[in-house]
Amino acid sequence: EVKEENAKKGFKPVTEREDADVDKMDVDKPEVKEEDVKKEDESKDDGKGSAKKGGKKGAKADDDAVADKKGEDTDGEKKEGDEDKDEKAEQKPDPAKASAAAALVVPIPPALKALVAELLPRLMHACFQKNWQATVGGVAGIDALTRVLPISALRANLPKILQALLSALQLLPPHAVTEVAAATKLFHRVLETATPEGVDIRGEDAPPGVEAAVAVLSEELFSTTSSPTVRPVVEAAVMGLSKRSGLDVNKVLDVKPAHAQALLARPLRSKHVNVQTQVVHIVNFCLSARPAPIMSVNAQTVGLLQEALVVAENDDPNTFKGGPAAADSLHALRAACIRLICSAMAHPELKTPPAGQEQLAQLRQRIITMFFKSLTSRNADIVEIAKQGLKRVIQQQSLSKELLQSSLRPILVNLAHYKNLTMPLLVGLERLLELLSNWFNPTLGEKLLEHLRRWLDPEQKMAPGGQQQPRPAPKDFKIAAAMINLFHLLPPAASKFLEQLVMMTVSLERALPQNGVHSEVNSLYRKPLCKFLSRYAPQAVDFFLAKLAQGPFFFRFIDMIRMEKEGENLREELAKSASKISAAAFTWPHPSSGDPAANASEGLSGVGGGSDLNAYNGLKLIVVLAKRMPDWLSSQPDLVKALWQRWNSDARQARLKSEEALALPELLESKQLVKCFLNVAAHDRTRVAYLFDILTIFSARSRVDYTFVEEFYKEEVAVKWSPEERHAVIVHFLDCFKERSLEVPELVNALKLIVLPVLEHTLKDVAVNADKMEEATKVITEDVVHTIVMDVLETADDESSPAHADPLRIQLLRMGTLLIRNLPDELVRHRKELIKFGWNHLKSEDVGSKQWAFVNVCHFLEAYQAPEKIVLQVFVALLRACQPEAKELVRQALGALVPALPKRLPQGDHKYPIWIRYTKKILVEEGHSMPALIHVWNLIHTQETLFFPSRAQFVPQMVNSLSRLGLPSSSPTENRVLSIKLVELILRWEERRKRLKAEAAEKGEGEGEDDGDDGEDEQPKKSPRAGSKRGRDADTRSSKRTKGADGKATAKDEEEEEEEEEEERGRSPLRSSPPRRCPRPDPPRQSRTVGAHLPGHPPIPRRPTRADALRELR
């Protein structure tokens, strides 16, 4: 579009070479050509205005001509330079340089060139706005634009872009963290793109724009008006440039002596606080630059260091006048001064002052004293910087004893009395102990314990009457916690304080208020104590195992073990002490510890016996440790053996039967043992027996929740175990069934919780996924199938078999159904045994077994061919099974059988299949029963596609039953929903009929399928002739006695057969076609359909027949 527009204006198209030359020019200036100049001159002669190009006004003709001439000269020089570079490249080809050179000469498209000329200045201008929305928008626009610019255009505008981004960083508030991070990231990306690795920054070979960009960074770096947000960004950018170019920082910045002289010319205290901070930052950067510092330690630098030392030593809050802002500025200045002194201490002049330089030696000693003093500051940043500086000094050389004593004396003096203790003092002492723990002796621990007792023992003070009154204990609990936090930093001899410190901590936690933020439950003393115990883990483990039966110590020990970081050493030591845990917890009778509380707790509730509180607490300790270290318990066979003995003990079984009398530790015993065994089975999957041995817990009635066991079976064993491991689980179950090593309730739970979930996950999607089928063959091998059919299902009728129980039969029927539904081809050889197993259970008196048998048989009939008589019997029995307690299973069985009926029961010569006729018959006979009616309508609604060809047989009764289902006020919600579904079904059937009729008309095939159905309502079916085949069959059927699927015989008498034939010949009152017109109409014929009547009219009374009388007699 731009090219077409330029052509209309008469602009000459820019060639690649001209475009490359323009790239090297400043893209901010509009492009001017000779044709434009000529047109402009002509327009001036005619008295017209100057022409516009690219949205800007044209310049004067003389200036354009001069610029054009200069451009031609520079083009010639650059062409010669390019030819020289090409010759050098031919001599020494370098792929990296070739790609970089290719990126430099990429031409800018005209549209992008205009975009840069117009949009980029506006975006950069937005970055200088004080409105933060404009600043953020300018940064986002520059980010998007610089991603598509070539390097040549980016370098040409690099100085201005950097200035705009630095302005944006300075204007954005400190709390705009996300926006500041985005601008910082953009700043570094633009600079890294324009100055890749190996680029020349200084000299003639430096690309245009890069040297100017470095000048922008240098100016900002040495500026005393910079902000805390901008300075770190600029320093990081300069260090990156130094690394990419391979030059020292001094050469990158090209620092002149005038810069340093300007900074150090005036005393530091004569400047504003913010200016002082910036000057200190600049000098710190120059001294800490690597590999060679920009400035050295000379007389001027020493003067600045002395002034900075005075500022760093001043920790008087009274000097902070002017409010919080002034205090923050002074804190920032002090932190910058300490950081400057830390950098200066790395120089040789201060590291080891030369002989005769007393000033430097005294300065170094004052600096070290300042570091010690700053450790007790209330500002955390100052404390951390002072710690790093002191650490650097100690690493350089050891400190003299006199210097240490003089430096530590102010801190140690304040430890003499507990009233002088403050949080900054204790935090500074902690930092000192981290650096100089060997210089302290254990007497410091004794002094700290003495101070801790003050939090428990109030002092006595004299009342005015001469009586002593107790003084309340100190209320600052954080000071006590800070004192406990010092013990883990003391020398190794401090292990002797273990018992005293634990006792003291327990007492301090009991003294905490019960309703405060920090209470005995949420104690702030526990984490510092855990640090001390982790340092002396072996002694701590022995101490707490000896007090396993004492609640105050045991529960605190458990809480500290659960700590992620502080309790790691305790957990590792406990993992090594499995034998100690077993001896302390599971040795019975337990040796008396001499503690009255422990002796009183023996026996607990007195049920079962053979245990005490040591055992229950030891079991809880194992559970907590196994949860934190999952692989530990499976590697301790002796401990697992002790747990297994406890599981099989008669005492536990007795306690399980009397839960109402148990204490809480006894009540949770079985749950904790189960968790231990599941942990072992999860990490050592060869121990499959544990999965089945713990199933006895489901046989007993318990108020303890064992849902986690079921979740483990369904989510871990069934899903995450490999096919080989799942195969081992199934084989173990079959072995237990054959050997009868498990009781019937355990077998039922094993099937329901383990085997069936494994089979369901294994057989999922095997019909459509070849990989899943291959995995299933590894789990369910031919031997497994043969064992299931011959050794499990075949023996179900044997009274001596464990499968003779009804609950187990239900689970076996579920397993057989699952296999038939998903592996029909693998079970072809066992069809006889499978149908025998399912058919025998149809006679069961148990409702659950009977309905699951129907489900099993229906899936069998769906998968395999069977006699039509058997299929029909099962279908009719399911149609009559409308009991509400078995509703879901009957629907599941019909859902499996009905789709297979067109294949298993073909239509033959009759207009409607026999299963449709039986459905209509049962609907007519049982239609007066609401459950039966709902049952049939649900079936038709679920299988609407199969019943569509025969819809004329059911629509009249369906319409008539709507008022019975949904209109009564007492009708339940399910019936009303069903009535709405039936209306929708009728409408869908009608839409489908119209669609099929239209399609048939388009194909020229005449009337559709539906016309025959409608015609069937108009013309009654002819009865078979006497003596014909159909007549003989009808006579034969009327004289036979049939046997249903439930084993009960049913007889059809002649009256019922007559009634059925009459009903088939009768006309429905709801006809879709108009009645025939006769000159003399016959009297209206009464309908034989029970309850059938026209909408809006009362039911037509029917003359009672002989069949009605016989039905009433029955």
Side-chain angles (χ1 to χ4, degrees):
E1 293 175 357
V2 174
K3 288 181 179 179
E4 293 176 1
E5 186 178 356
N6 292 340
K8 290 179 181 179
K9 293 181 179 180
F11 293 166
K12 184 178 67 175
V14 182
T15 60
E16 294 183 359
R17 187 59 189 170
E18 291 174 346
D19 202 2
D21 296 338
V22 174
D23 291 345
K24 300 177 182 178
M25 298 171 62
D26 191 356
V27 296
D28 288 343
K29 298 179 180 179
E31 180 183 0
V32 181
K33 300 180 182 178
E34 294 180 359
E35 297 173 0
D36 299 339
V37 176
K38 292 179 181 179
K39 290 182 179 179
E40 198 169 328
D41 294 337
E42 292 174 1
S43 63
K44 285 183 179 180
D45 296 337
D46 296 337
K48 297 181 181 180
S50 60
K52 296 183 180 180
K53 181 191 176 199
K56 291 185 178 181
K57 294 182 178 181
K60 293 182 179 181
D62 296 337
D63 297 339
D64 294 338
V66 172
D68 194 13
K69 185 176 181 180
K70 291 182 179 180
E72 292 177 357
D73 296 339
T74 55
D75 288 344
E77 295 176 359
K78 291 180 179 178
K79 287 180 181 179
E80 295 176 1
D82 292 341
E83 292 175 358
D84 296 337
K85 291 181 180 178
D86 293 339
E87 293 176 1
K88 294 180 180 178
E90 291 177 358
Q91 296 174 0
K92 297 181 180 180
D94 190 355
K97 292 184 178 180
S99 60
L104 291 175
V105 299
V106 171
I108 305 178
L112 184 59
K113 189 182 303 180
L115 189 66
V116 171
E118 295 294 333
L119 182 60
L120 186 59
R122 289 172 171 79
L123 293 175
M124 291 188 294
H125 180 72
C127 293
F128 290 90
Q129 298 293 327
K130 293 184 178 181
N131 189 4
W132 69 268
Q133 291 91 342
T135 304
V136 173
V139 171
I142 293 175
D143 186 14
L145 188 58
T146 53
R147 293 181 184 275
V148 298
L149 285 179
I151 297 180
S152 56
L154 189 63
R155 286 176 175 172
N157 296 274
L158 185 59
K160 296 180 180 180
I161 293 175
L162 295 183
Q163 286 179 348
L165 294 177
L166 290 175
S167 174
L169 286 170
Q170 191 163 7
L171 293 174
L172 286 173
H175 58 267
V177 181
T178 305
E179 289 76 10
V180 170
T184 304
K185 185 178 180 180
L186 173 61
F187 185 89
H188 291 301
R189 183 181 64 78
V190 169
L191 189 59
E192 291 175 2
T193 304
T195 58
E197 187 112 10
V199 68
D200 294 327
I201 295 180
R202 299 284 182 181
E204 298 178 355
D205 296 335
V210 174
E211 194 168 357
V214 175
V216 171
L217 296 178
S218 179
E219 181 181 358
E220 184 64 30
L221 185 64
F222 286 92
S223 173
T224 57
T225 60
S226 183
S227 66
T229 307
V230 175
R231 182 166 296 281
V233 178
V234 176
E235 291 178 357
V238 171
M239 299 303 294
L241 275 175
S242 175
K243 183 178 179 181
R244 291 192 297 273
S245 63
L247 300 175
D248 295 342
V249 178
N250 191 9
K251 294 181 180 179
V252 171
L253 297 176
D254 193 17
V255 180
K256 302 296 188 297
H259 290 92
Q261 293 176 1
L263 291 173
L264 305 177
R266 293 171 52 195
L268 190 63
R269 60 182 178 274
S270 62
K271 302 176 183 178
H272 191 268
V273 175
N274 296 332
V275 177
Q276 294 181 41
T277 306
Q278 297 301 323
V279 170
V280 171
H281 279 304
I282 295 170
V283 177
N284 180 34
F285 179 79
C286 294
L287 290 177
S288 59
R290 295 291 179 269
I294 300 175
M295 298 174 60
S296 60
V297 178
N298 49 28
Q300 291 181 331
T301 311
V302 170
L304 181 65
L305 291 176
Q306 290 177 345
E307 291 183 294
L309 184 59
V310 172
V311 175
E313 291 175 342
N314 185 14
D315 195 18
D316 187 5
N318 296 326
T319 59
F320 299 158
K321 298 178 181 180
D328 294 341
S329 299
L330 289 174
H331 278 305
L333 174 59
R334 187 181 177 198
C337 290
I338 298 176
R339 193 176 287 110
L340 170 64
I341 294 172
C342 291
S343 301
M345 290 293 288
H347 285 252
E349 291 83 0
L350 289 176
K351 184 188 298 184
T352 55
Q357 294 289 340
E358 295 295 334
Q359 183 183 6
L360 294 179
Q362 293 177 1
L363 180 62
R364 184 175 185 276
Q365 187 173 356
R366 286 181 59 194
I367 289 174
I368 294 174
T369 306
M370 182 271 299
F371 284 153
F372 279 100
K373 182 180 178 181
S374 299
L375 290 176
T376 60
S377 175
R378 294 181 179 274
N379 193 305
D381 295 336
I382 292 176
V383 172
E384 190 62 30
I385 297 170
K387 179 187 172 183
Q388 296 298 327
L390 189 59
K391 183 178 179 181
R392 180 178 295 179
V393 171
I394 295 173
Q395 289 176 351
Q396 290 174 359
Q397 61 182 4
S398 61
L399 302 179
S400 63
K401 185 176 181 180
E402 293 78 10
L403 180 59
L404 280 175
Q405 288 179 351
S406 61
S407 301
L408 293 175
R409 187 175 294 110
I411 298 176
L412 298 178
V413 167
N414 291 325
L415 292 175
H417 199 274
Y418 78 96
K419 292 183 179 180
N420 298 330
L421 298 178
T422 60
M423 284 301 298
L425 176 66
L426 295 174
V427 171
L429 185 58
E430 181 184 354
R431 301 291 185 271
L432 279 177
L433 287 171
E434 291 177 1
L435 298 174
L436 304 168
S437 61
N438 295 329
W439 288 88
F440 292 86
N441 53 29
T443 55
L444 178 60
E446 297 175 358
K447 193 65 177 179
L448 293 174
L449 285 174
E450 181 182 349
H451 291 332
L452 286 173
R453 293 189 185 97
R454 296 292 184 179
W455 265 253
L456 300 174
D457 302 331
E459 288 184 350
Q460 300 293 330
K461 66 177 182 179
M462 297 300 295
Q467 297 179 355
Q468 291 185 351
Q469 293 181 355
R471 179 178 296 174
K475 298 298 183 183
D476 197 349
F477 309 115
K478 294 183 179 179
I479 293 180
M483 283 192 288
I484 297 174
N485 197 33
L486 297 176
F487 279 88
H488 75 283
L489 300 172
L490 293 176
S495 60
K496 64 180 180 180
F497 301 122
L498 190 145
E499 184 173 358
Q500 300 179 45
L501 187 60
V502 172
M503 297 291 187
M504 181 64 66
T505 305
V506 172
S507 302
L508 287 171
E509 288 180 349
R510 288 174 178 172
L512 289 172
Q514 298 299 323
N515 55 355
V517 177
H518 299 292
S519 60
E520 188 175 3
V521 177
N522 185 27
S523 173
L524 72 166
Y525 303 138
R526 209 157 291 175
K527 186 176 289 186
L529 178 62
C530 185
K531 293 180 181 179
F532 175 73
L533 296 178
S534 296
R535 183 175 180 184
Y536 308 103
Q539 296 90 328
V541 168
D542 294 340
F543 173 79
F544 282 100
L545 288 181
K547 298 182 180 297
L548 202 57
Q550 301 181 26
F553 297 96
F554 172 72
F555 289 110
R556 284 170 175 80
F557 187 48
I558 289 293
D559 193 12
M560 288 184 287
I561 289 174
R562 287 172 175 165
M563 293 181 183
E564 187 67 28
K565 183 179 179 181
E566 290 80 6
E568 184 177 0
N569 291 340
L570 289 176
R571 291 194 297 268
E572 292 178 356
E573 184 62 29
L574 275 173
K576 303 174 186 177
S577 308
S579 58
K580 295 181 181 180
I581 298 175
S582 180
F586 305 126
T587 301
W588 183 258
H590 191 73
S592 178
S593 60
D595 187 4
N599 294 331
S601 65
E602 288 185 5
L604 297 182
S605 61
V607 179
S611 183
D612 61 354
L613 194 55
N614 285 281
Y616 300 119
N617 289 344
L619 183 58
K620 184 176 180 61
L621 177 63
I622 294 172
V623 171
V624 173
L625 194 59
K627 185 176 182 180
R628 294 292 175 178
M629 305 176 68
D631 299 332
W632 169 71
L633 188 57
S634 58
S635 62
Q636 305 296 330
D638 296 335
L639 193 58
V640 173
K641 183 179 179 181
L643 295 174
W644 191 246
Q645 291 175 356
R646 191 169 187 82
W647 173 265
N648 293 326
S649 64
D650 297 334
R652 189 194 67 85
Q653 300 291 341
R655 286 190 290 271
L656 197 60
K657 296 176 182 178
S658 305
E659 283 192 349
E660 65 280 358
L662 299 181
L664 183 60
E666 295 175 312
L667 182 65
L668 299 178
E669 177 189 13
S670 298
K671 182 178 181 179
Q672 291 169 350
L673 287 171
V674 168
K675 286 185 176 181
C676 293
F677 295 140
L678 289 181
N679 178 275
V680 175
H683 295 88
D684 187 4
R685 297 180 180 179
T686 58
R687 304 185 184 183
V688 182
Y690 287 165
L691 301 177
F692 296 88
D693 293 336
I694 62 176
L695 290 173
T696 55
I697 200 65
F698 293 101
S699 303
R701 299 181 61 183
S702 175
R703 51 182 172 165
V704 181
D705 184 17
Y706 291 99
T707 310
F708 67 94
V709 183
E710 301 179 14
E711 293 176 355
F712 178 82
Y713 290 147
K714 294 178 181 179
E715 298 176 4
E716 291 288 333
V717 179
V719 178
K720 297 182 180 179
W721 285 29
S722 65
E724 293 76 12
E725 293 165 349
R726 281 178 273 163
H727 174 73
V729 171
I730 296 177
V731 170
H732 183 81
F733 166 76
L734 296 176
D735 294 339
C736 293
F737 189 92
K738 290 188 294 184
E739 298 171 1
R740 302 184 182 183
S741 58
L742 298 177
E743 300 294 334
V744 173
E746 298 173 16
L747 290 174
V748 173
N749 290 321
L751 273 169
K752 182 171 63 175
L753 301 177
I754 303 178
V755 178
L756 287 177
V758 168
L759 292 178
E760 287 174 358
H761 178 76
T762 303
L763 299 176
K764 185 179 179 181
D765 299 333
V766 293
V768 296
N769 193 336
D771 297 336
K772 293 287 291 182
M773 190 64 187
E774 183 179 358
E775 179 183 335
T777 54
K778 297 179 181 178
V779 179
I780 309 171
T781 59
E782 295 182 1
D783 297 337
V784 170
V785 173
H786 183 271
T787 305
I788 290 175
V789 174
M790 304 306 296
D791 297 336
V792 178
L793 303 183
E794 188 70 15
T795 61
D797 294 331
D798 187 5
E799 295 184 0
S800 61
S801 173
H804 193 65
D806 287 333
L808 187 56
R809 286 179 176 180
I810 293 176
Q811 303 304 324
L812 292 177
L813 286 167
R814 290 180 61 191
M815 182 174 64
T817 304
L818 191 62
L819 294 175
I820 293 172
R821 187 174 62 199
N822 295 282
L823 299 175
D825 297 337
E826 286 74 8
L827 298 175
V828 170
R829 296 183 301 168
H830 305 285
R831 286 177 298 172
K832 180 179 179 181
E833 293 81 3
L834 292 173
I835 190 61
K836 179 182 176 183
F837 171 71
W839 194 266
N840 290 339
H841 286 81
L842 291 176
K843 307 172 186 177
S844 175
E845 297 180 359
D846 182 68
V847 178
S849 299
K850 185 175 182 179
Q851 301 307 325
W852 273 110
F854 271 117
V855 176
N856 181 274
V857 172
C858 288
H859 279 285
F860 180 89
L861 297 177
E862 178 193 13
Y864 307 110
Q865 185 67 37
E868 297 181 3
K869 180 179 179 181
I870 293 178
V871 178
L872 188 60
Q873 286 180 3
V874 173
F875 177 66
V876 173
L878 287 173
L879 286 179
R880 297 183 185 275
C882 56
Q883 296 84 359
E885 62 271 11
K887 178 172 59 176
E888 295 299 328
L889 290 178
V890 172
R891 288 181 182 178
Q892 184 178 349
L894 286 172
L897 180 62
V898 172
L901 288 179
K903 180 173 59 175
R904 301 290 179 239
L905 297 175
Q907 185 172 349
D909 297 334
H910 205 282
K911 184 175 182 180
Y912 297 109
I914 189 171
W915 56 278
I916 292 288
R917 301 200 302 270
Y918 268 93
T919 305
K920 175 71 177 293
K921 179 178 181 297
I922 291 175
L923 186 63
V924 171
E925 293 179 354
E926 306 292 341
H928 62 279
S929 174
M930 185 63 71
L933 187 66
I934 293 174
H935 178 55
V936 175
W937 290 146
N938 277 321
L939 172 64
I940 294 177
H941 175 265
T942 307
Q943 307 292 339
E944 59 177 271
T945 305
L946 298 176
F947 285 91
F948 172 76
S950 308
R951 63 192 179 282
Q953 298 291 313
F954 304 101
V955 170
Q957 285 82 359
M958 196 178 293
V959 174
N960 292 336
S961 63
L962 291 177
S963 59
R964 295 175 59 192
L965 289 173
L967 292 183
S969 59
S970 60
S971 178
T973 307
E974 296 178 357
N975 293 1
R976 298 187 181 188
V977 172
L978 178 60
S979 63
I980 296 174
K981 290 181 179 179
L982 293 179
V983 174
E984 294 176 347
L985 176 62
I986 295 173
L987 296 176
R988 286 198 299 271
W989 276 351
E990 182 63 19
E991 292 176 359
R992 183 178 177 185
R993 182 193 68 80
K994 292 179 180 179
R995 186 173 66 254
L996 293 176
K997 187 175 181 180
E999 293 176 358
E1002 291 178 359
K1003 295 180 180 179
E1005 294 178 0
E1007 293 291 327
E1009 174 188 3
D1010 189 69
D1011 296 340
D1013 295 334
D1014 295 339
E1016 186 243 352
D1017 291 339
E1018 292 181 9
Q1019 300 179 0
K1021 196 173 195 175
K1022 295 181 179 180
S1023 59
R1025 300 191 315 271
S1028 65
K1029 183 176 184 302
R1030 293 182 61 189
R1032 287 196 303 270
D1033 294 341
D1035 296 339
T1036 305
R1037 286 196 302 269
S1038 63
S1039 62
K1040 286 184 179 180
R1041 296 174 61 88
T1042 59
K1043 188 173 182 180
D1046 54 357
K1048 297 180 180 180
T1050 59
K1052 295 184 180 179
D1053 51 4
E1054 297 177 359
E1055 289 79 16
E1056 287 181 332
E1057 293 291 341
E1058 270 184 68
E1059 185 181 358
E1060 291 176 10
E1061 292 177 2
E1062 288 175 4
E1063 286 175 353
E1064 289 181 356
R1065 292 194 301 269
R1067 296 182 182 181
S1068 172
L1070 294 177
R1071 296 180 300 184
S1072 58
S1073 59
R1076 297 180 180 179
R1077 297 182 178 272
C1078 300
R1080 297 181 64 184
D1082 296 334
R1085 184 177 179 180
Q1086 294 181 356
S1087 173
R1088 290 185 178 273
T1089 305
V1090 179
H1093 59 87
L1094 291 173
H1097 296 275
I1100 301 175
R1102 191 184 67 178
R1103 179 177 58 84
T1105 61
R1106 184 179 177 186
D1108 295 335
L1110 291 175
R1111 187 179 296 109
E1112 292 178 0
L1113 288 176
R1114 294 194 192 100

